[in-house]
Amino acid sequence: AGPRVAVIHGFMARRLMQRNLLRYLRSKGLSDVTMYGHLHSVDSISDELQASRREGRKLVILGYSQGGFHAVKVARELERRGVEIALLVSIAAGGLGRVFPGRWGFDPRNVPTNVDVCLNFFSQGDLLGCDQSHQMNEAFGSSATQRVENHMFHAHEGVSHIDLVRCYPEERIKPAVRTQVIERIMTEISGLNTSGFQHM
């Protein structure tokens, strides 16, 4: 009865996500967490998530780096199908990642209307995932009923591209990342329940 969680890793980040956020989410008792890659078919991911939604499950999509771009693409496809997403998480989706084929002209900041809550994380010290213009990093909603949170780390905090998703070993986690990213994501997921759910 818990949420269905889709984790989408970025370019050459499969093992990084397996060893960190994927492992962390499962260690917290989430029984249905699936990892996809940033080249995985948007339609295939959407098909699987839509099936879970029909079963009464709430949906969580979490994308990192190139996976962050892909997460928004999946959200937009599910919007087209009329499928609600409880939580969309975007981590370090921007910067040099915009030069990757398939991302040209794509806006990962415009949150689709079917997303209830969006958490967007980025670090000024991360050239791979942070745009030079501060405004270009901030996600914004398409509806007044949505909740969109932008969490920025300043350059002096020294949070790198990898630091944003590091969960292990404990001694290497940046304290600010622990509270503002890892624990913030888990708090939001933990708040999801299936009461009052309407099948779609």
Side-chain angles (χ1 to χ4, degrees):
R4 170 68 190 277
V5 182
V7 175
I8 307 178
H9 69 74
F11 179 65
M12 297 182 68
R14 180 178 62 86
R15 295 187 70 182
L16 175 68
M17 292 295 277
Q18 283 178 329
R19 295 174 174 178
N20 288 275
L21 269 178
L22 184 70
R23 174 184 168 191
Y24 175 81
L25 293 172
R26 288 176 173 168
S27 76
K28 294 300 179 181
L30 291 168
S31 59
D32 194 356
V33 184
T34 305
M35 190 172 74
Y36 303 93
H38 68 103
L39 297 178
H40 202 103
S41 163
V42 168
D43 286 337
S44 295
I45 300 175
S46 299
D47 288 345
E48 293 181 18
L49 295 180
Q50 185 173 14
S52 294
R53 182 67 172 139
R54 286 186 179 131
E55 294 171 355
R57 313 284 298 287
K58 290 197 173 182
L59 304 182
V60 175
I61 307 176
L62 189 158
Y64 167 63
S65 195
Q66 287 296 317
F69 286 90
H70 215 58
V72 177
K73 286 192 172 185
V74 172
R76 289 187 184 174
E77 172 58 24
L78 290 173
E79 177 188 39
R80 188 186 68 79
R81 301 182 187 193
V83 178
E84 183 185 67
I85 299 167
L87 175 64
L88 173 66
V89 180
S90 175
I91 304 173
L96 293 177
R98 291 184 180 275
V99 304
F100 197 88
R103 310 306 182 205
W104 301 338
F106 179 74
D107 182 9
R109 309 303 182 206
N110 190 351
V111 181
T113 56
N114 60 326
V115 174
D116 289 339
V117 178
C118 174
L119 304 179
N120 177 45
F121 302 94
F122 58 96
S123 171
Q124 289 182 326
D126 170 23
L127 294 178
L128 290 175
C130 181
D131 295 309
Q132 289 188 349
S133 168
H134 175 75
Q135 188 174 4
M136 286 183 65
N137 291 293
E138 293 199 344
F140 58 92
S142 304
S143 165
T145 61
Q146 295 172 295
R147 175 158 54 89
V148 178
E149 296 181 11
N150 290 289
H151 298 267
M152 180 189 76
F153 293 96
H154 294 280
H156 68 81
E157 295 179 87
V159 176
S160 71
H161 197 64
I162 292 176
D163 286 335
L164 284 166
V165 292
R166 189 190 302 279
C167 302
Y168 305 96
E170 289 280 333
E171 63 272 14
R172 294 189 63 189
I173 305 172
K174 299 274 187 179
V177 171
R178 183 195 304 274
T179 56
Q180 296 177 44
V181 181
I182 301 170
E183 293 178 359
R184 182 69 194 88
I185 291 170
M186 197 62 226
T187 297
E188 200 66 46
I189 294 176
S190 298
L192 299 177
N193 59 65
T194 55
S195 62
F197 175 79
Q198 299 294 319
H199 283 224
M200 297 184 71

